[in-house]
Amino acid sequence: MTRTLTLTRPDDFHLHLRDGAMLQGIAPETARDFARAIIMPNLVPPVVTGAQAGAYRERIMAALPGSGFTPLMTLYLTEASDAADIIAAHRAGLITAVKLYPAGATTNSGSGVSSFENVRATLEAMAEAGVPLCVHGEVTDPAVDIFDREAVFIDRVLDPIRRATPGLTVIMEHVTTADAVAYVQSATTGLGATITTHHLIINRNHLLVGGIRPHYYCLPVAKRESHRLALLGAAVSGDRRFFLGTDSAPHTDEAKECACGCAGCFTATNTMPLLAEVFERENALDRLEGFVAHHGADFYGLKRNTGTLTLTRQDQPVTFPARIETGAGPVTVFDPGFAVHWQVSRAG
Ligand code: NCD
Ligand code: ZN
């Protein structure tokens, strides 16, 4: 029997669109299903000023002629960021948030923050002006094991920042641990979290057992199964502090499949069918709309979308392209490793 599911058109609250030929190749993959996305600023060089965000937004729109897609821009916080420029860009509607990368934590994060004391005044000005802060929550201390970096970040960095700047709205990006889920649940106001599609599906065994799988390597790295289950529990719980941010992060196959492969899973092409499958397995299809279309918009104070997206459940498993060919090279689409029966049948 064919079943259909019609949702408010979803938003992606954490997305990498890149630039140039890669942007041209992969932007339609998101715009097909999603109305809006929070666009990460980790280009080379990073998007630091309001003017740069405005120019990047134009390049994104130019890559999507005729689409109704709205990119929600972010600025990359550096120790030299100009608080007045951030606030003016926010007031002008040029940016939606600011992204904090600990220096060296992930792809193109070399210009990030080394000492949080150096951005304290900027964070205070953002709190005052109501500019949200998106946080990549991993410490970079080489003495801390990579699987512990998120949990340690909460105690060493995130909680002190939130205590020092109580009015600041913070989104903990791509949470991967039960520790982060518990921390977000413990906060009464001003703290939300994005959860990716792939962290609901893979644990570290998928990455490492039976051979190393470069297309499952991302940052923060997938953790053990108990953590995946905590993320799944949060996603299907209906808790409005948790919402979708795919962290779809394209790299060419050449950059992934080599001796020092880049971090990032590319899920833009099949995220909605994968999430429908995951939520159906949890008997939580009625919670999918909140997770993909309501909680994030409400948290950011954005109007909910008026359009819809319809998914249809097929009796036979559906297939997706294995890779997207771009002018920068092929990009492999995330393979969940299980049969998927849902497909997007209409977006409007
Ligand atoms: C992202 C990228 O490639 O830009 N990679 C990733 O593994 N998620 C950076 C990031 O969000 O950490
Ligand atoms: Zn990211």
Side-chain angles (χ1 to χ4, degrees), residues 14 16 40 99 101 136 174 219 247 249:
H14 183 132
H16 298 269
M40 288 295 134
K99 178 75 187 279
Y101 290 97
H136 183 109
H174 43 49
L219 288 171
D247 195 17

Side-chain angles (χ1 to χ4, degrees), residues 63-109:
L64 293 167
S67 116
F69 180 75
T70 303
L72 304 171
M73 309 309 291
T74 61
L75 293 184
Y76 186 118
L77 184 66
T78 74
E79 294 186 358
S81 284
D82 175 0
D85 179 64
I86 290 174
I87 288 157
H90 189 253
R91 283 224 180 95
L94 265 182
I95 64 157
T96 302
V98 168
K99 178 75 187 279
L100 185 156
Y101 290 97
T106 187
T107 310
N108 304 338
S109 61

Side-chain angles (χ1 to χ4, degrees), residues 6-207:
T6 296
L7 311 170
T8 303
R9 191 93 184 252
D11 297 316
D12 182 350
F13 281 92
H14 183 132
L15 177 67
H16 298 269
L17 282 183
R18 315 299 192 205
D19 214 341
M22 181 65 93
L23 168 65
Q24 299 290 330
I26 56 92
E29 299 299 300
T30 290
R32 190 181 304 133
D33 293 351
F34 291 87
R36 301 174 290 199
I38 290 271
I39 309 301
M40 288 295 134
N42 63 332
L43 304 182
V44 189
V47 180
V48 175
T49 67
Q52 289 167 341
Y56 185 28
R57 184 167 73 176
E58 293 305 313
R59 299 199 295 281
I60 294 169
M61 299 305 287
L64 293 167
S67 116
F69 180 75
T70 303
L72 304 171
M73 309 309 291
T74 61
L75 293 184
Y76 186 118
L77 184 66
T78 74
E79 294 186 358
S81 284
D82 175 0
D85 179 64
I86 290 174
I87 288 157
H90 189 253
R91 283 224 180 95
L94 265 182
I95 64 157
T96 302
V98 168
K99 178 75 187 279
L100 185 156
Y101 290 97
T106 187
T107 310
N108 304 338
S109 61
S111 315
V113 173
S114 304
S115 165
F116 294 93
E117 278 311 309
N118 296 341
V119 293
R120 184 180 292 270
T122 305
L123 298 183
E124 276 166 14
M126 285 169 50
E128 179 85 6
V131 184
L133 181 73
C134 302
V135 175
H136 183 109
E138 289 189 288
V139 293
T140 55
D141 179 349
V144 179
D145 188 276
I146 192 166
F147 291 101
D148 298 332
R149 287 180 175 198
E150 183 173 285
V152 172
F153 181 88
I154 295 169
D155 293 338
R156 279 198 201 166
V157 182
L158 185 55
D159 199 54
I161 286 179
R162 293 189 57 246
R163 283 178 197 279
T165 328
L168 186 66
T169 297
V170 175
I171 302 94
M172 201 177 172
E173 297 296 332
H174 43 49
V175 290
T176 60
T177 57
D179 312 66
V181 167
Y183 182 68
V184 172
Q185 286 167 338
S186 74
T188 46
T189 57
L191 181 62
T194 55
I195 300 179
T196 77
T197 308
H198 50 282
H199 287 112
L200 293 175
I201 294 174
I202 58 166
N203 63 35
R204 64 197 198 180
N205 280 11
H206 295 92
L207 173 67

Side-chain angles (χ1 to χ4, degrees), residues 140-334:
T140 55
D141 179 349
V144 179
D145 188 276
I146 192 166
F147 291 101
D148 298 332
R149 287 180 175 198
E150 183 173 285
V152 172
F153 181 88
I154 295 169
D155 293 338
R156 279 198 201 166
V157 182
L158 185 55
D159 199 54
I161 286 179
R162 293 189 57 246
R163 283 178 197 279
T165 328
L168 186 66
T169 297
V170 175
I171 302 94
M172 201 177 172
E173 297 296 332
H174 43 49
V175 290
T176 60
T177 57
D179 312 66
V181 167
Y183 182 68
V184 172
Q185 286 167 338
S186 74
T188 46
T189 57
L191 181 62
T194 55
I195 300 179
T196 77
T197 308
H198 50 282
H199 287 112
L200 293 175
I201 294 174
I202 58 166
N203 63 35
R204 64 197 198 180
N205 280 11
H206 295 92
L207 173 67
L208 295 170
V209 172
I212 190 158
R213 315 278 167 159
H215 297 289
Y216 289 161
Y217 173 58
C218 63
L219 288 171
V221 70
K223 310 296 192 296
R224 64 171 66 238
E225 176 65 0
S226 56
H227 292 294
R228 186 188 72 86
L229 293 175
L231 302 176
L232 190 54
V236 304
S237 68
D239 186 327
R240 306 164 61 79
R241 293 168 291 194
F242 296 97
F243 42 91
L244 177 65
T246 65
D247 195 17
S248 182
H251 295 277
T252 61
D253 286 351
E254 191 184 1
K256 294 283 295 173
E257 299 170 5
C258 57
C260 184
C262 292
C265 296
F266 180 69
T267 55
T269 302
N270 52 2
T271 274
M272 288 307 304
L274 298 190
L275 289 174
E277 195 79 28
V278 167
F279 275 62
E280 180 182 42
R281 288 171 173 208
E282 298 300 307
N283 282 320
L285 274 178
D286 58 330
R287 300 272 168 87
L288 182 60
E289 183 176 47
F291 182 66
V292 303
H294 293 167
H295 301 172
D298 296 351
F299 187 86
Y300 272 92
L302 301 168
K303 282 210 181 89
R304 292 181 181 179
N305 295 316
T306 50
T308 59
L309 189 80
T310 299
L311 293 128
T312 309
R313 192 183 196 286
Q314 311 296 319
D315 291 335
Q316 296 304 316
V318 297
T319 55
F320 304 100
R323 54 193 60 78
I324 302 298
E325 299 297 336
T326 79
V331 175
T332 289
V333 174
F334 180 80

